[in-house]
Amino acid sequence: MSLKDDLRALALVAFWDVRKLRRYTFFLAMRFSWFLLQVLVFGLLVANMVSVGDLDYYKFYVVGAFMAVLFSMSMVKGHDIVEEFEDGLVDYQLSLPVKRKVLAIGRAIGGGISAFLHSLPMLIVVVLVLGVSSLSAVLALALASFVFASSLSGIAMGVALILRSSDRLDILMGVSDSLLVRISTIFYPIAAISGVAVYYYLAKVNPVSHMVDALRLIAIPEEYQGSAVSSPEVILMFLAGFAFTAILSSLFLLDRKIEGGYGR
């Protein structure tokens, strides 16, 4: 196959995940409604009860709520892979005249686009609520969210190919959600948890903490400068390294594990 054929196949494979958005219309509507309730009601109530120095906790909370949604939407791609194995769809894709690497890259990219589009309405709400008026800041928020979603989706699909069990995957996803989301700066500023050494150092090395603080530095730099988990330069390098490692490892897993078929 020529490069043109590979790129066409890559686009078609990526579109496979994107076109499945129609299956989740009701789920997305419910998730969006819950997010609005979180931001417009619960967030305001919590912000009136919490005081963290000069930090505007409401704006802090809004970005954290979006990050929690982005994380869960990205990780759910693992469940899609397991379902496709059980339904024989992966075996069908393997029978197509598409290179394994093209199939793996396409699924990783498609998963990231799908997860990002799932969370896009929430991102729009965040931009409006925080009053982000700079086009460059909005584009930076979208790009950072897409890259992180692609990284997480690829990892989730790779893990699903290793486990090949919806029950075991549910347990692992529940544990990862509890650890990576709770032990992070999604809802708690790093300064507020500095008194608990274990919690503090785990949050400092958690990629979710770096990502959510990066979003805050982009969306509300004047409010959040100096309160992030690390300096902007360190956060950028950390996230770049995480994305590079996550995407390469997920592509390796997808390329190697997808060939075995389900249950082999």
Side-chain angles (χ1 to χ4, degrees):
M1 294 178 70
S2 65
L3 177 61
K4 181 180 178 180
D5 292 333
D6 286 341
L7 291 176
R8 182 175 179 274
L10 180 68
L12 290 174
V13 172
F15 187 65
W16 173 275
D17 283 294
V18 176
R19 66 194 293 268
K20 291 192 296 183
L21 285 171
R22 291 176 296 178
R23 294 172 47 190
Y24 300 103
T25 303
F26 179 74
F27 170 75
L28 290 175
M30 293 295 294
R31 194 62 187 260
F32 182 65
S33 300
W34 173 243
F35 181 77
L36 286 179
L37 185 65
Q38 272 190 295
V39 170
L40 302 179
V41 179
F42 186 70
L44 290 171
L45 291 175
V46 172
N48 287 326
M49 295 186 291
V50 175
S51 177
V52 187
D54 296 328
L55 183 66
D56 186 333
Y57 186 73
Y58 178 65
K59 293 181 178 180
F60 180 93
Y61 177 88
V62 169
V63 180
F66 168 73
M67 185 65 230
V69 169
L70 182 66
F71 179 87
S72 62
M73 292 291 192
S74 302
M75 298 302 286
V76 79
K77 302 311 297 179
H79 292 282
D80 288 347
I81 286 290
V82 172
E83 289 179 4
E84 288 177 9
F85 263 124
E86 294 172 345
D87 294 338
L89 293 176
V90 172
D91 289 331
Y92 164 72
Q93 288 186 336
L94 290 172
S95 69
L96 299 174
V98 179
K99 294 178 181 177
R100 292 290 184 269
K101 284 185 171 57
V102 172
L103 180 60
I105 294 172
R107 292 310 304 265
I109 293 176
I113 295 174
S114 177
F116 173 71
L117 292 178
H118 273 112
S119 59
L120 184 58
M122 291 76 160
L123 179 60
I124 293 173
V125 171
V126 171
V127 169
L128 294 176
V129 169
L130 299 182
V132 182
S133 56
S134 170
L135 178 59
S136 60
V138 174
L139 293 177
L141 287 170
L143 178 61
S145 299
F146 167 68
V147 172
F148 197 69
S150 297
S151 303
L152 291 178
S153 295
I155 290 174
M157 288 189 284
V159 170
L161 288 171
I162 294 174
L163 296 179
R164 303 187 182 193
S165 166
S166 56
D167 292 335
R168 285 183 289 179
L169 188 63
D170 283 336
I171 295 172
L172 182 61
M173 292 303 177
V175 172
S176 65
D177 181 78
S178 298
L179 292 177
L180 293 177
V181 173
R182 270 70 177 181
I183 306 178
S184 73
T185 56
I186 280 186
F187 297 119
Y188 314 108
I190 194 67
I193 59 178
S194 59
V196 184
V198 174
Y199 199 125
Y200 174 78
Y201 289 109
L202 287 176
K204 289 277 283 186
V205 298
N206 188 342
V208 176
S209 295
H210 287 263
M211 181 59 195
V212 71
D213 280 358
L215 295 179
R216 292 183 180 117
L217 288 170
I218 295 171
I220 48 174
E222 69 286 347
E223 300 272 353
Y224 202 59
Q225 196 73 36
S227 301
V229 68
S230 190
S231 67
E233 295 78 14
V234 172
I235 289 177
L236 178 61
M237 289 188 293
F238 185 98
L239 291 176
F242 171 76
F244 181 76
T245 303
I247 292 173
L248 281 185
S249 60
S250 62
L251 290 181
F252 175 80
L253 288 172
L254 287 170
D255 185 35
R256 291 293 184 270
K257 295 295 183 179
I258 204 170
E259 294 190 48
Y262 185 71
R264 297 179 200 170

Coordinates of all heavy atoms in Angstrom, one line a residue, residues 156-192:
A156 N -5.9 3.3 27.9 CA -7.0 2.5 28.2 C -7.3 1.4 27.3 O -7.6 0.3 27.7 CB -8.3 3.4 28.3
M157 N -7.1 1.7 26.0 CA -7.3 0.6 25.0 C -6.2 -0.5 25.1 O -6.5 -1.7 24.9 CB -7.4 1.2 23.6 CG -8.6 2.0 23.3 SD -8.8 2.5 21.6 CE -7.7 3.9 21.5
G158 N -5.0 0.0 25.3 CA -3.9 -1.0 25.5 C -4.1 -1.9 26.7 O -3.9 -3.1 26.6
V159 N -4.5 -1.3 27.8 CA -4.8 -2.1 29.0 C -6.0 -3.1 28.8 O -6.0 -4.2 29.2 CB -5.2 -1.1 30.2 CG1 -5.7 -1.9 31.4 CG2 -3.9 -0.3 30.6
A160 N -7.0 -2.6 28.0 CA -8.1 -3.5 27.7 C -7.7 -4.7 26.9 O -8.2 -5.8 27.1 CB -9.2 -2.7 27.0
L161 N -6.7 -4.5 26.0 CA -6.2 -5.6 25.2 C -5.5 -6.6 26.1 O -5.4 -7.8 25.7 CB -5.4 -5.1 24.1 CG -6.1 -4.3 23.0 CD1 -5.1 -3.7 22.0 CD2 -7.0 -5.3 22.2
I162 N -4.8 -6.1 27.1 CA -4.1 -7.0 28.0 C -5.1 -7.8 28.9 O -5.0 -9.0 29.1 CB -3.1 -6.2 28.9 CG1 -2.0 -5.6 28.1 CG2 -2.5 -7.1 30.0 CD1 -1.1 -4.7 28.8
L163 N -6.1 -7.1 29.5 CA -7.0 -7.8 30.4 C -8.0 -8.6 29.7 O -8.3 -9.7 30.1 CB -7.7 -6.7 31.3 CG -6.8 -5.9 32.2 CD1 -7.7 -4.9 32.9 CD2 -6.1 -6.8 33.2
R164 N -8.6 -8.1 28.6 CA -9.6 -8.8 27.8 C -10.8 -9.3 28.6 O -11.3 -10.4 28.4 CB -9.0 -9.9 27.0 CG -7.9 -9.4 26.1 CD -7.3 -10.4 25.2 NE -6.2 -9.9 24.4 CZ -5.7 -10.5 23.3 NH1 -6.2 -11.6 22.9 NH2 -4.8 -9.9 22.6
S165 N -11.2 -8.5 29.6 CA -12.3 -8.9 30.5 C -12.9 -7.7 31.0 O -12.3 -6.8 31.6 CB -11.7 -9.7 31.7 OG -12.7 -9.9 32.7
S166 N -14.2 -7.5 30.8 CA -14.9 -6.3 31.2 C -15.0 -6.2 32.7 O -14.9 -5.1 33.3 CB -16.4 -6.4 30.6 OG -17.1 -7.5 31.0
D167 N -15.1 -7.4 33.4 CA -15.1 -7.3 34.9 C -13.8 -6.8 35.5 O -13.8 -6.0 36.3 CB -15.4 -8.7 35.4 CG -16.9 -9.2 35.1 OD1 -17.7 -8.3 34.9 OD2 -17.1 -10.4 35.0
R168 N -12.7 -7.4 35.0 CA -11.4 -7.0 35.5 C -11.1 -5.5 35.1 O -10.5 -4.7 35.9 CB -10.3 -7.9 35.0 CG -10.2 -9.2 35.6 CD -9.1 -10.1 35.1 NE -9.4 -10.5 33.7 CZ -8.5 -11.3 33.0 NH1 -7.3 -11.6 33.6 NH2 -8.8 -11.7 31.8
L169 N -11.6 -5.1 33.9 CA -11.4 -3.8 33.5 C -12.2 -2.8 34.3 O -11.7 -1.7 34.7 CB -11.8 -3.6 32.0 CG -11.4 -2.3 31.3 CD1 -9.9 -2.1 31.3 CD2 -12.0 -2.2 29.9
D170 N -13.4 -3.2 34.7 CA -14.2 -2.3 35.6 C -13.5 -2.1 36.9 O -13.5 -0.9 37.4 CB -15.6 -3.0 35.8 CG -16.5 -2.8 34.7 OD1 -16.3 -1.9 33.9 OD2 -17.4 -3.6 34.5
I171 N -12.9 -3.1 37.5 CA -12.2 -3.0 38.8 C -11.0 -2.1 38.6 O -10.8 -1.2 39.4 CB -11.8 -4.4 39.3 CG1 -13.0 -5.2 39.6 CG2 -10.9 -4.2 40.5 CD1 -12.7 -6.7 39.9
L172 N -10.2 -2.3 37.6 CA -9.0 -1.5 37.3 C -9.4 0.0 37.1 O -8.7 0.9 37.6 CB -8.2 -2.0 36.2 CG -6.9 -1.3 35.9 CD1 -6.0 -1.4 37.1 CD2 -6.2 -1.8 34.7
M173 N -10.4 0.2 36.3 CA -10.8 1.6 36.0 C -11.4 2.3 37.3 O -11.1 3.5 37.5 CB -11.9 1.6 35.0 CG -11.5 1.2 33.6 SD -10.1 2.2 32.9 CE -9.8 1.4 31.4
G174 N -12.0 1.5 38.1 CA -12.5 2.1 39.4 C -11.4 2.5 40.3 O -11.4 3.6 40.9
V175 N -10.4 1.6 40.4 CA -9.2 1.9 41.2 C -8.4 3.1 40.6 O -8.0 4.0 41.4 CB -8.3 0.7 41.3 CG1 -7.0 1.0 41.9 CG2 -9.0 -0.5 42.0
S176 N -8.2 3.1 39.3 CA -7.5 4.2 38.7 C -8.2 5.5 38.9 O -7.5 6.6 39.1 CB -7.2 3.9 37.2 OG -8.4 3.9 36.5
D177 N -9.5 5.5 38.8 CA -10.3 6.7 39.0 C -10.1 7.2 40.4 O -9.9 8.4 40.7 CB -11.7 6.5 38.7 CG -12.6 7.8 38.9 OD1 -12.5 8.6 38.0 OD2 -13.3 7.9 39.9
S178 N -10.2 6.3 41.4 CA -10.0 6.7 42.8 C -8.7 7.2 43.1 O -8.5 8.2 43.8 CB -10.3 5.4 43.7 OG -11.6 5.0 43.5
L179 N -7.6 6.6 42.5 CA -6.3 7.1 42.8 C -5.9 8.3 42.0 O -5.4 9.3 42.6 CB -5.3 5.9 42.5 CG -5.4 4.7 43.4 CD1 -4.4 3.6 42.9 CD2 -5.1 5.1 44.8
L180 N -6.0 8.3 40.7 CA -5.5 9.4 39.9 C -6.3 10.6 40.0 O -5.8 11.7 39.9 CB -5.5 8.9 38.4 CG -4.4 7.8 38.1 CD1 -4.5 7.4 36.6 CD2 -3.0 8.3 38.4
V181 N -7.6 10.5 40.2 CA -8.5 11.7 40.3 C -8.5 12.2 41.7 O -8.3 13.4 41.9 CB -9.9 11.4 39.9 CG1 -10.9 12.6 40.2 CG2 -10.0 11.1 38.4
R182 N -8.6 11.4 42.7 CA -8.7 11.8 44.1 C -7.3 12.3 44.6 O -7.3 13.3 45.3 CB -9.2 10.7 45.0 CG -10.7 10.7 45.2 CD -11.4 10.3 43.9 NE -12.9 10.2 44.1 CZ -13.7 9.8 43.1 NH1 -13.2 9.5 41.9 NH2 -15.0 9.8 43.3
I183 N -6.3 11.6 44.2 CA -5.0 12.0 44.7 C -4.3 12.9 43.6 O -3.3 12.5 43.0 CB -4.1 10.7 45.0 CG1 -4.8 9.8 45.9 CG2 -2.7 11.2 45.6 CD1 -4.0 8.5 46.2
S184 N -4.9 14.0 43.5 CA -4.5 15.0 42.5 C -4.9 16.4 42.9 O -5.5 16.5 44.0 CB -5.0 14.7 41.1 OG -6.4 15.0 41.0
T185 N -4.6 17.4 42.1 CA -5.1 18.7 42.4 C -6.3 19.1 41.6 O -6.6 20.3 41.4 CB -3.9 19.7 42.0 OG1 -3.6 19.6 40.7 CG2 -2.7 19.5 42.9
I186 N -7.1 18.1 41.3 CA -8.4 18.4 40.6 C -9.3 19.2 41.4 O -9.9 20.2 41.0 CB -9.1 17.1 40.1 CG1 -8.4 16.6 38.8 CG2 -10.6 17.3 39.9 CD1 -9.1 15.4 38.2
F187 N -9.5 18.8 42.7 CA -10.3 19.6 43.6 C -9.6 20.2 44.8 O -10.3 20.9 45.6 CB -11.5 18.6 44.1 CG -12.4 18.1 43.0 CD1 -12.5 16.8 42.7 CD2 -13.1 19.0 42.2 CE1 -13.3 16.3 41.7 CE2 -13.9 18.6 41.2 CZ -14.0 17.2 40.9
Y188 N -8.3 19.9 45.0 CA -7.6 20.4 46.1 C -6.3 21.1 45.7 O -5.5 20.4 45.0 CB -7.3 19.2 47.1 CG -8.4 18.3 47.4 CD1 -8.4 17.0 46.8 CD2 -9.5 18.7 48.1 CE1 -9.4 16.1 47.1 CE2 -10.5 17.8 48.4 CZ -10.5 16.5 47.8 OH -11.5 15.7 48.1
P189 N -6.1 22.3 46.0 CA -4.9 23.0 45.6 C -3.7 22.3 46.3 O -3.8 21.8 47.4 CB -5.1 24.4 46.2 CG -6.6 24.6 46.3 CD -7.1 23.2 46.6
I190 N -2.6 22.3 45.6 CA -1.4 21.7 46.2 C -1.0 22.2 47.5 O -0.5 21.5 48.4 CB -0.2 21.8 45.2 CG1 0.9 20.8 45.5 CG2 0.3 23.2 45.0 CD1 0.5 19.3 45.4
A191 N -1.2 23.5 47.7 CA -0.9 24.1 49.0 C -1.7 23.6 50.2 O -1.3 23.5 51.3 CB -1.0 25.6 48.9
A192 N -3.0 23.2 49.8 CA -3.9 22.8 50.9 C -3.6 21.3 51.3 O -4.0 20.9 52.4 CB -5.3 22.8 50.3

